[in-house]
Amino acid sequence: MEIKTIGVIGAGTMGSGIAQVAAEAGYKVIMRDIEEQFVQRGLAALEKNLARAVDKGKKSREEADALRNRVSGTTGLEDLGAADFIIEAIIENMGLKKELYANLDEICKEEAILASNTSGLSITEMASATGRPQNIVGMHFFNPVPVMKLVEVIRGFDTSDETFEQTMELARKMGKEPIAVNEAPLFAVNRILVPMINEAAFVLMEGVATAEDIDRGMMLGANHPIGPLALADLVGLDVLLAVMETLYHETGDSKYRPCPLMRKLVRAGHYGRKTGRGFYTYG
């Protein structure tokens, strides 16, 4: 199957970023969200990124305009019937995702591939809501999408070899470097990253070192560009806690239990940068 039109569901930070890299690769893109205001916000974010690229001399005005013209916005799910490949980037809620996939199964052409940008939920479970589990795959981009090179391509229980290879190839055409992952809770990268952040929270809670020294230690000693606690504040402690809960419940392994300090901060509404306070306080 030749992929010409890509559907993106969800016009938030991830969705608009995915729409941008798909359009940059020359694909026609249909970006859908549930309300017109969300669609317009996603298109505005795309236009802002393009304007910045023009200002920096990375793109000509003509290139930016051509790219923008390849992206259309809609609130109608039925408009995705024209798409050859769909990337879903909605909220991390399995019930909502399964409902969406069941609807897409009715709307989309028979050969269309449906990919989820989930950061750790089961591709196999999403696929079970459709009559085409062989065409369902994980395609996990990293934020910010236009900048980050990595895409995890995740094989569900029934994902066909053809679907998997087409998704790997699409990621490469989008200028990304995909890695192949077999489905497991949190996949590969977050499975390693999230427990490290959690352990840093335990080290802080136990008074072993200050937040500043923990982060400085990992930057200078492990060559990380940002410390784990500063990274947690950037991602959002509420998001991280939800991801940790998924890993803990899916595995039942006590080594993945979320740090009580993380839970306490989230209960207090201190989610990190977006609320002005997390492990650090922001001006």
Side-chain angles (χ1 to χ4, degrees):
M1 178 189 67
E2 187 184 358
I3 298 168
K4 292 183 178 178
T5 301
I6 293 177
V8 177
I9 304 179
T13 305
M14 296 300 287
S16 62
I18 293 166
Q20 180 179 329
V21 297
E24 280 176 340
Y27 296 101
K28 182 183 175 188
V29 180
I30 304 165
M31 183 167 64
R32 185 261 180 180
D33 213 313
I34 51 174
E35 288 185 27
E36 186 61 32
Q37 61 171 330
F38 300 146
V39 174
Q40 292 306 321
R41 194 183 301 162
L43 292 172
L46 170 66
E47 287 162 6
K48 186 177 177 183
N49 282 350
L50 293 177
R52 193 180 299 131
V54 171
D55 289 344
K56 290 183 174 179
K58 292 180 179 177
K59 279 185 174 61
S60 68
R61 171 47 60 193
E62 292 72 28
E63 285 171 332
D65 288 344
L67 192 157
R68 172 64 186 85
N69 289 335
R70 285 196 286 275
V71 182
S72 61
T74 184
T75 56
L77 197 64
E78 64 280 359
D79 291 338
L80 296 172
D84 306 302
F85 195 106
I86 290 174
I87 303 168
E88 163 270 310
I90 69 167
I91 189 168
E92 291 283 70
N93 177 300
M94 181 57 81
L96 290 175
K97 286 184 189 286
K98 285 173 79 172
E99 184 183 340
L100 174 64
Y101 281 90
N103 289 331
L104 288 173
D105 198 31
E106 298 290 319
I107 292 164
C108 296
K109 55 182 86 167
E110 196 178 329
E111 67 276 18
I113 292 172
L114 312 182
S116 178
N117 178 56
T118 179
S119 60
L121 295 180
S122 170
I123 304 303
T124 301
E125 187 174 346
M126 291 175 212
S128 73
T130 76
R132 61 174 93 196
Q134 71 282 0
N135 287 17
I136 314 298
V137 67
M139 197 178 190
H140 179 213
F141 292 81
F142 287 74
N143 193 24
V145 176
V147 176
M148 298 291 275
K149 279 287 187 191
L150 179 64
V151 172
E152 284 181 305
V153 178
I154 303 103
R155 187 190 292 272
F157 188 80
D158 290 312
T159 306
S160 71
D161 291 344
E162 186 185 359
T163 293
F164 191 81
E165 289 308 322
Q166 279 203 281
T167 306
M168 291 285 281
E169 185 55 31
L170 177 62
R172 293 185 191 105
K173 285 180 178 173
M174 286 181 171
K176 303 304 180 188
E177 293 183 27
I179 62 170
V181 179
N182 288 318
E183 182 183 302
L186 300 200
F187 313 140
V189 175
N190 282 338
R191 169 85 174 269
I192 297 164
L193 178 65
V194 169
M196 184 194 74
I197 292 172
N198 196 40
E199 198 61 32
F202 271 111
V203 171
L204 177 64
M205 185 183 79
E206 292 164 13
V208 177
T210 64
E212 290 81 2
D213 280 353
I214 291 165
D215 280 354
R216 193 179 301 125
M218 291 304 291
M219 290 166 72
L220 298 178
N223 210 22
H224 292 186
I226 183 172
L229 299 176
L231 178 59
D233 278 355
L234 188 63
V235 172
L237 304 192
D238 54 333
V239 174
L240 274 171
L241 181 61
V243 169
M244 286 173 188
E245 296 280 22
T246 297
L247 184 58
Y248 182 50
H249 290 306
E250 283 277 335
T251 61
D253 193 329
S254 62
K255 74 179 177 181
Y256 295 128
R257 74 198 188 286
C259 177
L261 176 59
M262 179 86 72
R263 202 184 297 282
K264 192 183 287 186
L265 284 165
V266 170
R267 283 174 175 164
H270 303 319
Y271 299 161
R273 284 184 176 271
K274 60 187 172 187
T275 60
R277 185 175 167 191
F279 290 113
Y280 297 95
T281 301
Y282 302 89

